[in-house]
Amino acid sequence: MNDFWIACGHHLLDRDENGGLCVTDEFLKAYFVRPELIPPDEACPVERRLHRALLASPRKPVGTEEIEAIVDADARENWRLVLAFRDLLVRHPTLEQAYLATVRSGTNDLPPLFVNQLVHVILRNALDGCDDPFVLRAAELFFRPQRILPQEQALLLGDEEVVGGQTPTPVLSLMSMLGAVTDAELDVLREDNAGDYWRRSDHFDMAFDLTAGGRGPAALAQAMVRWISHLLGIDVSIEPLRELRDARLTWYVGLDADATRLGDRLWHGEQLDERSAGRVLSLFRLTFADTSAAADEMRGEPVYLILSMNADQKLRMKPQNLLTGLPVKHLEMAT
């Protein structure tokens, strides 16, 4: 079986009896050896001592006064952020539960990079055994911002970091921790080169075709089904749509911030102008396999999912909306 997304560090984690990811000392140490946290030659004794102690015992409690005693302000902030993230992970039995606790709290205390890292490794777990490179590339939208690539006949997405000329390795990956950088060559994922995805999955250098009616929207639908099933234990079907013609928008979920705003306007009966409507990238209809899982007022009613780009022609998907925005009765986690 082909492996993928090795750089997310999933092989450093344990799994509980339900398949959830359990944090290990090895996984935590991978954060403490990041370049930002390795004390430079001029670092103060407090920072050096803290670094040594956490490498020896990654779960060691660290008091606020110990962080405040670090002389360098940037180092203090780096340690404050990474230790808050560590504490979140060790506070919960699984990474899945840590992530759900974060998105359900409604707070934005964690930097987006840490949130994306969590999504990355949880998705790797949810998609374990998946042998379809199109589904895996579609799932990259969950944790990698995308840029719309200019094409007249197709809707193509490229990884924002790769297209923008930044390092093609993920910011919070083990590869980047070790300073590995590769030259990116952007190819559109197609049937004839899909086999290349396995060796390139950590480079994020394959463009994705999201053209309506093609394989891309169907692959994204499958990724969303796996995400919901893994985290909420709910079986759903998701069908790509070409347009919301004559649809009763009883319930909708915006898959990004701009889509939520567009959905709000549609729900209030507003007609979208051509420019706003042109931002919509994909539409989906979600139905519950077990209608009793849905809120009473939504039994038998579909949920519409909207994916859009912003004014800068970028896509920043918010996969947490699929977990917090669905009209489900019980938000109990499967893992």
Side-chain angles (χ1 to χ4, degrees), residues 194-209:
D196 294 342
Y197 182 85
W198 304 108
R199 65 178 177 82
R200 298 170 63 168
S201 70
D202 283 309
H203 298 156
F204 305 110
D205 61 354
M206 300 191 84
F208 185 62
D209 189 344

Side-chain angles (χ1 to χ4, degrees), residues 35 50 63 76-77 88 110 130 138 164 173 190 192 204 211 214 220 232 234 237 247 273-274 281 283 285 289:
L50 175 62
R76 283 199 304 272
E77 183 63 13
L88 171 70
L110 283 180
C130 178
S173 74
R190 305 180 305 270
D192 61 356
F204 305 110
T211 306
L220 181 56
L232 297 182
I234 297 173
S237 297
D273 56 80
E274 185 176 348
L281 302 178
L283 299 166
R285 180 168 51 224

Side-chain angles (χ1 to χ4, degrees), residues 17-257:
E17 58 185 10
N18 296 315
L21 296 172
C22 303
V23 71
T24 64
D25 287 357
E26 289 74 20
F27 188 78
L28 295 176
K29 286 180 183 179
Y31 283 90
F32 299 147
V33 297
R34 287 185 54 81
E36 311 92 281
L37 294 177
I38 297 178
D41 293 340
E42 65 275 14
C44 69
V46 174
E47 184 181 356
R48 290 179 176 280
R49 186 165 54 248
L50 175 62
H51 188 253
R52 287 195 303 270
L54 286 170
L55 286 181
S57 179
R59 300 169 194 257
K60 171 187 178 298
V62 179
T64 303
E65 65 285 352
E66 192 169 357
I67 299 298
E68 293 302 321
I70 296 174
V71 173
D72 184 78
D74 290 337
R76 283 199 304 272
E77 183 63 13
N78 288 338
W79 281 110
R80 189 177 296 116
L81 292 173
V82 78
L83 287 172
F85 182 61
R86 180 206 65 171
D87 292 345
L88 171 70
L89 299 188
V90 301
R91 193 162 57 242
H92 295 274
T94 65
L95 268 62
E96 286 87 351
Q97 290 178 349
Y99 176 72
L100 274 178
T102 298
V103 300
R104 288 174 177 169
S105 70
T107 60
N108 295 311
D109 295 338
L110 283 180
L113 292 178
F114 287 113
V115 176
N116 287 339
Q117 164 67 5
L118 264 183
V119 172
H120 189 180
V121 73
I122 292 171
L123 256 179
R124 174 60 184 79
N125 194 28
L127 293 169
D128 195 46
C130 178
D131 60 0
D132 188 340
F134 288 88
V135 174
L136 302 181
R137 177 58 182 89
E140 291 178 20
L141 274 61
F142 286 53
F143 59 92
R144 301 283 300 189
Q146 305 288 310
R147 185 179 297 184
I148 312 305
L149 304 177
Q151 287 283 330
E152 292 185 3
Q153 304 299 325
L155 173 57
L156 298 183
L157 308 180
D159 188 276
E160 184 182 4
E161 285 192 359
V162 175
V163 175
Q166 301 176 42
T167 171
T169 55
V171 177
L172 282 178
S173 74
L174 298 183
M175 290 171 61
S176 63
M177 292 175 188
L178 299 175
V181 177
T182 58
D183 294 327
E185 295 180 5
L186 201 66
D187 297 319
V188 180
L189 181 65
R190 305 180 305 270
E191 292 289 348
D192 61 356
N193 67 3
D196 294 342
Y197 182 85
W198 304 108
R199 65 178 177 82
R200 298 170 63 168
S201 70
D202 283 309
H203 298 156
F204 305 110
D205 61 354
M206 300 191 84
F208 185 62
D209 189 344
L210 197 60
T211 306
R215 187 164 180 175
L220 181 56
Q222 289 183 52
M224 291 190 288
V225 166
R226 295 278 287 262
W227 176 249
I228 293 169
S229 174
H230 182 72
L231 283 160
L232 297 182
I234 297 173
D235 292 329
V236 300
S237 297
I238 299 179
E239 171 194 4
L241 303 175
R242 287 183 177 270
E243 57 182 333
L244 287 177
R245 178 175 295 179
D246 299 327
R248 201 161 60 105
L249 211 63
T250 307
W251 199 286
Y252 62 92
V253 175
L255 299 177
D256 57 274

